[in-house]
């Protein structure tokens, strides 16, 4: 490590322990040490990189395993809540279960695997709205997504959205094919549908684990949890418990007697009673910590959710928190955070940073692509007929992608909806509609979220606009 720091100095970088290195620097250093650099699909590793940003150089030789954090998503009524309830009831240790009065937004579960018992953590707010809202704020707490698909219903619109969110965040997916106890359940058909949209079941030689369960009766839920732990093991989830804490707020509110409270998921370090924290525009000294069973605790280690009392204000889910030295520092940081949020809002109103075809075009023509993070154009495609999906996709995919690569986050039939806009906002994507409408309410929603919706009736025009943007020539069209 000392060597690496030395060679950073020799390249003119003064490492202060918190900055991230740009890709070229990393490549240079890896070359010095004869380490192969795999420049993977930035889209796929986005989640991994985000997680890694939480870690700092000093942590690298003190890393310990941490439990995975899991979100359950899927179409309404496919059984998310039932699954969460079943897991909570049967897997949370009895002594703790007795103490549960009100959830804190996440809970820890012990899973027996290979004769050991390993912990994992479930976020208690199912659905992709919460996941998307956190992503839109840059938060990435989830390590694994379980997507529930009812065996008697198959893929539905929110299933697609959930898959798109998980993929865009680079989070591994496990499919729970639910309700296999029901008459009319057809798990094979669900697997076929999933494979037709690119999620190939492991059992069929693909890489997506799929477990057939009945959340209502608890059938195979143990298998599902074991699969979660296997996937987690492959991810090598680690953090350094031996330092001051950093993490993300997953829930917050105001209690009449306790004042502002917030549930934190610690992502690095350990949080202790008495620590001084700043999160978003709020700060304070941690007066008390409560675990998921409502029990007072003195410390929370990585991945473990705790409710924190002692903040001066209510933070927002998705806010990052960190422990700082003194209340003065905390106050300063909180204030500057409030200021920068205000600036962000002003510039969002002015449309700065909005991803549009013309911003892409001008980035290409001015050679500022990488600076703007636009080397990839994220696309959400809405079309009138299933058959149009392939037609539009294929026509776009044959465009030369030397400067800009096209990434399809989601392609479905139907008019543009607010949840399409949410996905676009969280993923910095543009929505393309072909022979579909965007209702006025959706348009104004998109305006507020700085999302561009482009509607077309002629395939050629759609393709031509994208091509021009990728070549830096769109101004003439806009
Ligand atoms: P959510 O909207 O995805 O959270 O779905 P819920 O968990 O609320 O479930 C919707 C309905 O499906 C409820 O009436 C559940 O009792 C029922 N349900 C959930 N899982 C199963 C299952 O495995 N088998 C059967 N037969 N019904 C289920």
């Amino acid at each position: 490590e000392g060597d690496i720091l030395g060679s950073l100095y020799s390249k003119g970088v003064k490492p202060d322990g918190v900055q991230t290195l740009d890709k070229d620097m990393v490549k240079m250093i890896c070359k010095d040490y004869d380490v192969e650099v795999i420049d993977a699909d930035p889209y796929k590793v986005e989640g991994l990189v985000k997680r890694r940003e939480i870690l700092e150089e000093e942590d690298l030789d003190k890393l310990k395993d941490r439990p995975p954090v899991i979100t359950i998503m899927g179409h309404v009524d496919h059984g998310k809540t039932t699954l969460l309830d079943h897991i909570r009831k049967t897997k949370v240790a009895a002594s703790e279960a007795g103490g549960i009065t009100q959830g804190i937004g996440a809970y820890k579960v012990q899973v027996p695997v290979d004769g050991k018992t390993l912990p994992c953590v479930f976020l208690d707010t199912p659905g992709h709205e919460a996941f998307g809202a956190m992503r839109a704020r840059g938060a990435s707490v989830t390590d694994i997504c379980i997507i529930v698909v009812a065996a008697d219903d198959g893929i539905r619109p929110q299933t697609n959205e959930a898959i798109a969110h998980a993929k865009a965040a680079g989070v591994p997916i496990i499919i729970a094919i639910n309700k296999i106890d029901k008459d009319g359940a057809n798990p094979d058909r669900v697997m076929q549908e999933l494979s037709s949209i690119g999620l190939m079941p492991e059992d069929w030689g693909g890489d997506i684990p799929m477990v057939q369960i009945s959340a209502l009766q608890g059938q195979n839920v143990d298998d599902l949890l074991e699969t979660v732990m296997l996937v987690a093991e492959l991810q090598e989830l680690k953090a350094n418990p031996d330092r001051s804490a950093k993490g993300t707020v997953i829930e917050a509110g105001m209690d009449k007697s306790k004042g502002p409270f917030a549930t934190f998921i610690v992502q690095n370090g350990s949080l202790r009673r008495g620590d001084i924290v700043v999160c978003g525009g709020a700060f304070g000294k941690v007066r008390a910590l409560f675990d998921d069973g409502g029990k007072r605790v003195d410390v929370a280690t990585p991945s473990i959710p705790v409710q924190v009392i002692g903040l001066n204000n209510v933070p927002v889910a998705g806010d990052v928190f960190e422990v700082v030295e003194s209340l003065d520092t905390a106050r300063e940081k909180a204030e500057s955070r409030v200021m920068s949020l205000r600036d962000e809002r002003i510039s969002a109103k002015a449309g700065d940073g909005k991803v549009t075809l013309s911003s892409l075009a001008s980035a290409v023509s001015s050679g500022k692509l990488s600076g703007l993070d636009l080397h990839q154009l994220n696309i959400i495609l809405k079309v009138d007929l299933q058959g149009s999906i392939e037609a539009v996709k294929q026509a776009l995919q044959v465009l030369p992608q030397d400067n800009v690569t096209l990434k399809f986050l989601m392609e479905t039939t139907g008019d543009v909806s607010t949840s399409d806009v949410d996905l676009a906002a969280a993923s910095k994507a543009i929505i393309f509609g072909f022979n579909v409408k965007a209702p006025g309410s959706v348009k104004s929603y998109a305006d507020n979220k700085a999302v561009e919706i482009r509607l077309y009736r002629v395939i050629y025009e759609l393709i031509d606009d994208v091509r021009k943007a990728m070549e830096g020539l769109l101004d003439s069209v806009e």
Side-chain angles (χ1 to χ4, degrees):
E1 184 197 339
D3 273 351
I4 296 186
L5 290 180
S7 62
L8 277 172
Y9 272 114
S10 74
K11 292 184 169 61
V13 181
K14 294 203 180 69
D16 60 12
V18 291
Q19 86 248 57
T20 38
L21 298 175
D22 67 32
K23 219 190 258 172
D24 291 336
M25 187 59 75
V26 172
K27 276 187 190 151
M28 247 190 319
I29 292 170
C30 289
K31 210 170 131 211
D32 289 355
Y33 289 86
D34 209 14
V35 175
E36 191 191 355
V37 188
I38 301 172
D39 199 356
D41 179 357
Y43 178 67
K44 229 177 177 172
V45 297
E46 182 197 335
L48 296 178
V49 172
K50 282 242 176 77
R51 275 196 285 281
R52 216 174 302 134
E53 271 171 10
I54 278 275
L55 301 180
E56 292 168 11
E57 261 178 48
E58 60 179 88
D59 299 323
L60 296 182
D61 49 3
K62 295 186 198 144
L63 294 178
K64 298 227 169 68
D65 290 341
R66 64 170 180 83
V69 178
I70 296 123
T71 296
I72 299 185
M73 303 198 280
H75 195 74
V76 63
D77 280 348
H78 278 196
K80 300 177 291 293
T81 313
T82 310
L83 178 59
L84 271 164
D85 286 349
H86 179 84
I87 295 172
R88 190 190 305 107
K89 271 194 218 114
T90 54
K91 302 295 166 192
V92 174
S95 61
E96 288 176 33
I100 291 184
T101 41
Q102 209 175 10
I104 63 166
Y107 58 86
K108 193 177 87 182
V109 166
Q110 298 289 353
V111 182
V113 239
D114 294 342
K116 287 178 291 186
T117 328
L118 299 174
C120 64
V121 172
F122 278 84
L123 295 189
D124 216 354
T125 341
H128 59 266
E129 293 87 355
F131 188 78
M134 299 269 279
R135 277 189 61 224
R137 312 200 69 242
S140 106
V141 198
T142 302
D143 299 305
I144 296 171
C145 285
I146 295 180
I147 296 180
V148 178
V149 190
D152 60 341
D153 203 19
I155 297 184
R156 299 295 306 278
Q158 289 164 326
T159 320
N160 278 315
E161 286 162 20
I163 293 168
H165 268 293
K167 278 188 167 174
V171 175
I173 293 172
I174 297 172
I175 302 282
I177 302 179
N178 190 31
K179 306 197 186 184
I180 53 165
D181 60 291
K182 273 183 96 168
D183 287 341
N186 190 345
D188 268 354
R189 202 199 66 210
V190 175
M191 284 160 81
Q192 241 142 32
E193 284 179 7
L194 287 163
S195 58
S196 77
I197 58 163
L199 298 185
M200 187 58 78
E202 260 180 358
D203 287 353
W204 296 357
D207 55 3
I208 307 292
M210 300 194 186
V211 185
Q212 303 187 10
I213 64 164
S214 164
L216 196 63
Q217 301 180 350
Q219 198 184 339
N220 295 346
V221 174
D222 284 348
D223 291 348
L224 177 65
L225 293 176
E226 239 178 80
T227 307
V228 165
M229 298 317 280
L230 286 177
V231 171
E233 205 180 320
L234 291 177
Q235 287 200 82
E236 299 189 46
L237 304 168
K238 292 186 192 296
N240 171 13
D242 191 22
R243 53 158 289 155
S244 58
K246 244 187 178 185
T248 300
V249 176
I250 58 161
E251 199 174 273
M254 181 65 103
D255 183 277
K256 276 200 202 92
S257 54
K258 292 192 223 166
F261 63 86
T263 298
F264 288 2
I265 290 219
V266 176
Q267 291 174 284
N268 198 19
S270 296
L271 181 69
R272 286 164 212 284
R273 200 155 50 86
D275 278 348
I276 294 163
V277 292
V278 49
C279 53
F283 69 96
K285 185 167 186 160
V286 177
R287 270 195 284 127
L289 292 171
F290 296 94
D291 70 8
D292 52 1
K295 215 172 64 197
R296 273 175 190 272
V297 290
D298 288 328
V299 55
T301 50
S303 294
I304 302 302
V306 271
Q307 193 178 70
V308 174
I309 310 293
L311 299 171
N312 69 333
N313 259 318
V314 181
V316 182
D319 274 340
V320 167
F321 77 85
E322 63 174 328
V323 170
V324 294
E325 300 266 293
S326 69
L327 276 171
D328 285 340
T329 319
R331 187 176 299 114
E332 264 168 41
K333 286 206 171 193
E335 277 165 9
S336 75
R337 177 79 188 125
V338 170
M339 297 301 279
S340 70
L341 274 178
R342 196 174 304 155
D343 291 347
E344 272 172 32
R345 263 200 295 273
I346 292 168
S347 74
K349 270 221 175 102
D352 300 353
K354 180 174 174 179
V355 178
T356 62
L357 265 197
S358 56
S359 69
L360 175 68
S362 53
V364 173
S365 62
S366 62
K368 283 198 205 130
L369 263 188
S370 56
L372 284 174
D373 225 7
L374 278 172
H375 43 276
Q376 177 171 290
L377 173 57
N378 291 333
I379 295 175
I380 293 169
L381 188 62
K382 301 290 297 210
V383 299
D384 53 344
L385 304 165
Q386 194 66 30
S388 317
I389 292 180
E390 275 313 301
V392 177
K393 248 183 109 173
Q394 273 171 14
L396 284 172
Q397 268 161 343
V398 297
L399 296 174
Q401 302 190 22
D402 312 331
N403 289 328
V404 182
T405 40
L406 300 181
K407 186 82 202 179
F408 292 87
L409 296 188
M410 187 169 77
E411 53 271 3
T412 52
T413 53
D415 286 342
V416 181
S417 68
T418 50
S419 50
D420 297 331
V421 175
D422 284 335
L423 175 61
S427 316
K428 296 202 182 317
I430 299 176
I431 301 174
F432 291 88
F434 176 63
N435 281 336
V436 296
K437 291 198 276 293
S441 58
V442 172
K443 277 187 186 145
S444 51
Y445 188 71
D447 276 346
N448 277 331
K449 300 224 156 188
V451 167
E452 184 176 38
I453 301 176
R454 300 185 69 101
L455 302 175
Y456 295 87
R457 298 254 155 233
V458 182
I459 239 186
Y460 168 77
E461 285 174 4
L462 192 167
I463 309 302
D464 207 42
D465 280 0
V466 174
R467 181 185 59 75
K468 282 185 189 150
M470 290 167 85
E471 291 169 357
L473 301 170
L474 194 72
D475 307 305
S476 50
V477 178
E478 282 282 286

